[in-house]
Amino acid sequence: MVDRPNKPTALATTPGLPPQPQVNFSPDNARVSASLPTGESVEVLLYGATVISWKDRAGGEKLWLSDAAKLDGSKAVRGGIPLVFPVFGTAPDHAATSKLPQHGFARNSRWEFLGKSTSESSPSAGPSDASVKLDFGLSSATLDPQAKTLWPYGFNLIYSVTLTQEGLGTSIVITNDGTEAFEAQVLLHTYLRIKDITKIEVTGLENSEYLDKVDAAQAKTQSGAVTITGETDRVYTPAAGPSEPVVVRESGGGEEIFSVVRDSLKDVVVWNPWTDKAAGIGDFEPKDGYKNMICIEAGSVRGWQKLEPGEAFEGGQTISY
Ligand SMILES: O=P(O)(O)OC[C@H]1O[C@@H](O)[C@H](O)[C@@H](O)[C@@H]1O
């Protein structure tokens, strides 16, 4: 049954228990938000199941969202965490996905809220162990008919967004519940908010092979930390493997700002549009906003994940700070 609370969940005030996580729907049912008793919060738009806000306990926003982002379901959201499925970019040579728009249909589809699960504060541990998980679903049964004609496979997606005091987890289970095999790519297109792009570096990608999309998709090898000094659009397959964190940190091996640990997602896209590209993206505002964001996108986008009928693939990321 779809759990759609319009008011804070009841346990928030149960006598004898410390305050509990809360889950709320916006009055128009377009978004769901959750918060922990310690103050951390997350907000997800049902359109695209796009995480549009993630705040720490002091109310500090961790994600970059364009001032011109459309949040009314007319366009994929510019910022937050749009979900890319079943194709990364466009794939003119891959017949099954060649008709789909850039980055597929998941970020342009209205998802269903499937429910929440909370790990509640205990009287002994206080609020420190509280967490909340929100689940969203999209399937061939609920997909818009037009998208269905472009990609006519039987599928089921369950996307989970988990808020803890340590960070944010987003994970997806892709199931082939049709009668024909399909091939898909998936990517968590995360726009991380930073103070100054010229004062950060990304570690964890040393010695990794990458495709440089701003240099004719040439294959290159990363030497040292990644610094951003111009338009950057790279698809890394980290040599260290998914469980080794990719870290955004202060330049020169300084303090960690974000750490991204992946689960079964072998690739990482690093994207920053810099000046000219940002100027040409209509919904990218302010135009110098590229200084305050870096996309670290965990995914499986080089090659294809093939799923036979009945098979499932699960992948995700945990971002901590
Ligand atoms: O403008 P979009 O469709 O949201 O894509 C933004 C960027 O997304 C990145 O994942 C791609 O590597 C870039 O090539 C692309 O420009």
Side-chain angles (χ1 to χ4, degrees):
M1 198 178 84
V2 174
D3 181 359
R4 188 160 288 195
N6 287 313
K7 295 196 176 119
T9 42
L11 275 176
T13 53
T14 304
L17 274 182
Q20 304 298 327
Q22 298 190 10
V23 176
N24 288 289
F25 251 80
S26 62
D28 60 358
N29 276 345
R31 16 179 128 173
V32 56
S33 58
S35 59
L36 300 184
T38 39
E40 296 84 354
S41 66
V42 68
E43 189 169 20
V44 184
L45 200 63
L46 288 185
Y47 183 76
T50 315
V51 179
I52 52 170
S53 170
W54 166 38
K55 290 181 179 162
D56 62 25
R57 63 179 57 186
E61 181 59 62
K62 314 306 281 180
L63 300 176
W64 185 85
L65 180 69
S66 166
D67 289 351
K70 295 273 185 239
L71 302 179
D72 60 358
S74 59
K75 192 178 191 318
V77 176
R78 176 69 57 201
I81 313 182
L83 190 53
V84 169
F85 176 89
V87 61
F88 168 60
T90 54
D93 300 333
H94 186 258
T97 50
S98 59
K99 294 191 204 118
L100 291 173
Q102 157 112 340
H103 291 339
F105 54 72
R107 65 177 184 167
N108 302 107
S109 298
R110 175 147 173 139
W111 290 58
E112 267 185 284
F113 179 58
L114 300 178
K116 65 171 198 304
S117 36
T118 52
S119 155
E120 286 150 9
S121 310
S122 62
S124 53
S128 63
D129 54 354
S131 69
V132 59
K133 176 163 83 75
L134 307 173
D135 291 326
F136 302 88
L138 179 69
S139 70
S140 36
T142 56
L143 187 64
D144 171 79
Q146 207 211 330
K148 211 188 277 189
T149 57
L150 301 178
W151 203 72
Y153 299 97
F155 72 93
N156 186 52
L157 304 179
I158 297 188
Y159 183 54
S160 302
V161 175
T162 304
L163 177 68
T164 67
Q165 287 177 59
E166 289 76 41
L168 187 75
T170 66
S171 65
I172 188 160
V173 181
I174 305 165
T175 306
N176 182 340
D177 62 5
T179 53
E180 217 187 315
F182 64 72
E183 293 186 318
Q185 298 174 326
V186 64
L187 182 79
L188 306 166
H189 197 312
T190 308
Y191 289 71
L192 296 172
R193 171 173 283 278
I194 51 171
K195 288 204 184 89
D196 184 346
I197 190 74
T198 64
K199 296 202 169 93
I200 61 113
E201 63 187 21
V202 182
T203 58
L205 298 170
E206 295 82 353
N207 308 317
S208 302
E209 200 228 319
Y210 67 94
L211 295 183
D212 191 346
K213 290 176 71 179
V214 297
D215 190 9
Q218 283 192 65
K220 299 182 179 175
T221 303
Q222 179 65 36
S223 107
V226 182
T227 51
I228 312 289
T229 54
E231 185 187 348
T232 303
D233 192 356
R234 300 177 180 176
V235 186
Y236 285 90
T237 303
S243 56
E244 280 301 310
V246 174
V247 175
V248 179
R249 61 171 76 243
E250 308 283 352
S251 300
E255 249 184 71
E256 260 188 45
I257 305 169
F258 293 104
S259 167
V260 181
V261 174
R262 291 162 293 127
D263 178 15
S264 301
L265 296 176
K266 61 185 176 48
D267 305 317
V268 176
V269 177
V270 177
W271 183 63
N272 183 289
W274 211 251
T275 45
D276 293 357
K277 184 84 189 263
I281 301 177
D283 60 355
F284 196 102
E285 289 289 350
K287 289 302 173 201
D288 65 357
Y290 73 87
K291 293 177 183 164
N292 303 119
M293 51 77 58
I294 182 162
C295 284
I296 302 290
E297 313 167 27
S300 176
V301 295
R302 284 187 69 176
W304 298 85
Q305 195 69 47
K306 183 167 185 180
L307 291 182
E308 298 291 341
E311 281 185 345
F313 169 81
E314 178 167 9
Q317 66 175 355
T318 304
I319 315 169
S320 47
Y321 57 92

